Amino acid sequence: MKKLHILLLFLLLAAGANAAGRRFTVVIDAGHGGHDAGACGNISKEKNLTLKYALELGRMIERECPEVKVVYTRKTDTFLELHQRAEIANRNKADLFLSVHINSLPAGRIARGYQTYTLGKGESGKGILKNLEVAKRENSVIFMEKDYKQYYQGFDPNSAESNIMFEFIQDTNMEHSVDLAKMMQKNVCAATGRKDMGAHQANLAVLRLTSMPGCLLELGFISTPDEEEYLNSADALKNYTIGMFNAFVEYRNKYDNNIVVPYKPKAPAQPAVKDIVPEEYKQPKPAKKDKEKTLPETREKQKGTPAPAVAAPPATQQTPPPSAPAKDEIRFKVQIMASSKAIPATDPRLKGHNEATCYEDGALKKYTIGESTDYEEIVKLRRQLLADFPEAFIVAFKDGKRMDTNQAIREYKNKK
């Protein structure tokens, strides 16, 4: 047991030391699969729902954060042992591990809502399900594996020794995992409107065997008919994905020290403000003057029309609209949120920032503030906005089309 502790501690320290200078890596694990169907409802199986949601989240991260490396434990209906899922994360030196699951209760019991679990000994007697009961259910797949005694060495989630060991192994990552769980609860429930069932700790083997911060996401209850129906809908897939993605971005902005989007300069320059960065962000203190220099929200777009780089100003605005971008000119903006539906300027989610503009990307409407060819100005603007939008990040456009932000930054620096 002492040797095991030393080995696992070494792996934790090595993972942290190797993180510097690498691409941020997230491993997305679709729970169950193959002959392990997981929980079953009236119209669906857990293994199919988890795969659908895991792949959709990964695609959004790949599309919106191309600098992030996304690794999947499975992309098809295949069975993976729990230790194999953890080995994929450890082998790829992942910075974050997300395991997607669907909740269930015995027949006759009804529950609805979203929960997030992190590694821990659990809290006896709290919530609809005791955390230890959830741990037993998720860990029950161990006994479907060959040579499970060899890999799990008599693992008993009820033993005091196991609980102590689990907390010891993940001690350095516990704070980050708990923070991520809170972000997931906040963002997923806001995006989906589902009941907030809270963030919990449980003794889950798939988290125990990984050496990085991670969470197990219980999206909803397949045993509750109306919740199962919602989980199988296109709206649920879209909304859950947006919520999980927003939580991922918020977490990365806070904890990824090597992040380049949003950019974190060591000593940001202070050039003259140009283009249409809102006037109030150029001053030490927010000011309400010069409001006519800000842009209104784009509320509607014609279907099939490419999103313009700059929204047209209202007819009452005295300041002429910004000149059209020169060909191949790169413009940076701060993206504050994404939504499946148009958000009015008075919506409380915009927190009074009626200068926000909107562009469309597939089924999503994405809201930005500010626009400039000067990257450092947008960096400063984003820092001003973090208090209201901690998930805010920088996006780039060329010829009115979204482009890879890392490439845009490189081109910007090469021209300086």
Side-chain angles (χ1 to χ4, degrees):
M1 182 61 68
K2 183 178 180 180
K3 290 182 179 179
L4 177 61
H5 284 182
I6 295 173
L7 173 60
L8 290 168
L9 181 59
F10 171 77
L11 290 174
L12 282 169
L13 295 175
N18 291 331
R22 295 189 304 105
R23 291 176 66 188
F24 189 94
T25 300
V26 57
V27 170
I28 303 177
D29 172 46
H32 307 281
H35 63 270
D36 173 24
C40 295
N42 294 327
I43 60 173
S44 56
K45 297 178 180 179
E46 180 179 5
K47 67 173 185 176
N48 298 326
L49 288 173
T50 60
L51 182 60
K52 180 170 66 173
Y53 281 95
L55 293 177
E56 190 69 12
L57 173 60
R59 283 191 288 264
M60 179 170 281
I61 294 174
E62 289 169 335
R63 184 173 65 248
E64 300 296 329
C65 307
E67 72 284 354
V68 172
K69 179 181 178 182
V70 179
V71 178
Y72 304 88
T73 58
R74 67 181 182 100
K75 287 187 172 183
T76 59
D77 184 18
T78 54
F79 176 74
L80 279 174
E81 299 177 354
L82 294 181
H83 72 89
Q84 291 176 314
R85 299 169 190 267
E87 285 169 4
I88 291 172
N90 293 333
R91 183 169 63 247
N92 283 276
K93 297 180 173 60
D95 299 284
L96 196 61
F97 180 79
L98 300 175
S99 187
V100 182
H101 285 258
I102 307 296
N103 225 328
S104 182
L105 283 173
R109 299 180 65 185
I110 296 294
R112 299 174 182 83
Y114 170 79
Q115 293 175 300
T116 310
Y117 285 86
T118 60
L119 182 67
K121 63 183 179 180
E123 302 173 29
S124 177
K126 293 185 178 181
I128 292 181
L129 287 177
K130 294 181 181 179
N131 293 335
L132 194 54
E133 291 176 358
V134 175
K136 289 177 181 178
R137 175 167 59 79
E138 296 297 346
N139 288 325
S140 64
V141 67
I142 288 175
F143 303 106
M144 301 176 69
E145 302 175 8
K146 295 180 180 179
D147 302 321
Y148 71 87
K149 292 182 179 179
Q150 174 185 345
Y151 285 107
Y152 303 105
Q153 300 180 1
F155 165 65
D156 176 9
N158 290 310
S159 71
E161 181 183 39
S162 290
N163 288 330
I164 293 171
M165 182 180 70
F166 296 163
E167 291 193 20
F168 171 76
I169 293 171
Q170 291 283 46
D171 184 59
T172 57
N173 294 323
M174 187 69 70
E175 180 181 348
H176 290 188
S177 297
V178 170
D179 207 8
L180 172 63
K182 294 177 181 177
M183 294 173 185
M184 283 288 177
Q185 289 297 136
K186 176 186 68 176
N187 286 281
V188 171
C189 293
T192 62
R194 311 316 285 176
K195 181 179 179 181
D196 187 343
M197 299 277 288
H200 306 277
Q201 291 182 318
N203 200 344
L204 303 172
V206 72
L207 297 179
R208 173 178 70 89
L209 296 172
T210 55
S211 59
M212 71 287 302
C215 287
L216 186 145
L217 317 175
E218 294 279 10
L219 302 188
F221 288 83
I222 198 172
S223 54
T224 302
D226 61 289
E227 186 131 298
E228 180 189 11
E229 184 177 353
Y230 177 71
L231 287 167
N232 280 275
S233 70
D235 280 346
L237 180 62
K238 178 172 58 180
N239 294 335
Y240 273 105
T241 303
I242 291 172
M244 291 186 289
F245 173 77
N246 286 342
F248 167 79
V249 170
E250 184 177 349
Y251 174 88
R252 185 168 169 245
N253 285 352
K254 184 173 182 178
Y255 290 114
D256 183 8
N257 293 325
N258 298 314
I259 198 168
V260 293
V261 181
Y263 180 61
K264 293 182 179 179
K266 293 182 179 179
Q270 303 293 329
V273 176
K274 62 176 68 175
D275 293 328
I276 58 169
V277 174
E279 186 69 24
E280 57 264 36
Y281 296 110
K282 303 176 189 177
Q283 307 299 330
K285 296 181 179 180
K288 295 185 179 180
K289 61 181 179 179
D290 297 335
K291 283 188 177 179
E292 56 272 9
K293 293 187 180 180
T294 63
L295 292 180
E297 176 189 43
T298 301
R299 298 183 181 178
E300 296 181 356
K301 295 183 183 295
Q302 294 181 357
K303 189 174 183 180
T305 303
V310 183
T316 56
Q317 188 172 1
Q318 300 301 316
T319 303
S323 58
K327 187 176 181 180
D328 295 331
E329 183 178 62
I330 296 173
R331 289 179 175 260
F332 298 95
K333 302 181 181 183
V334 180
Q335 184 166 312
I336 57 171
M337 67 174 64
S339 174
S340 59
K341 298 180 181 179
I343 299 176
T346 56
D347 193 290
R349 286 174 290 179
L350 292 176
K351 301 180 181 179
H353 294 273
N354 57 5
E355 73 274 17
T357 61
C358 173
Y359 73 96
E360 292 185 357
D361 185 2
L364 295 178
K365 292 174 173 56
K366 300 179 178 180
Y367 290 83
T368 65
I369 293 177
E371 177 178 344
S372 179
T373 57
D374 190 323
Y375 176 63
E376 277 84 2
E377 282 303 322
I378 292 298
V379 170
K380 291 192 293 181
L381 172 59
R382 175 189 166 269
R383 294 175 67 184
Q384 293 278 353
L385 291 169
L386 284 179
D388 286 337
F389 306 101
E391 70 279 9
F393 58 99
I394 296 173
V395 292
F397 293 81
K398 180 186 283 189
D399 296 334
K401 297 181 180 179
R402 176 82 181 270
M403 69 174 294
D404 176 59
T405 309
N406 280 333
Q407 179 62 32
I409 294 170
R410 286 192 290 268
E411 292 184 24
Y412 169 82
K413 291 182 177 179
N414 289 338
K415 290 180 181 180
K416 292 189 69 177

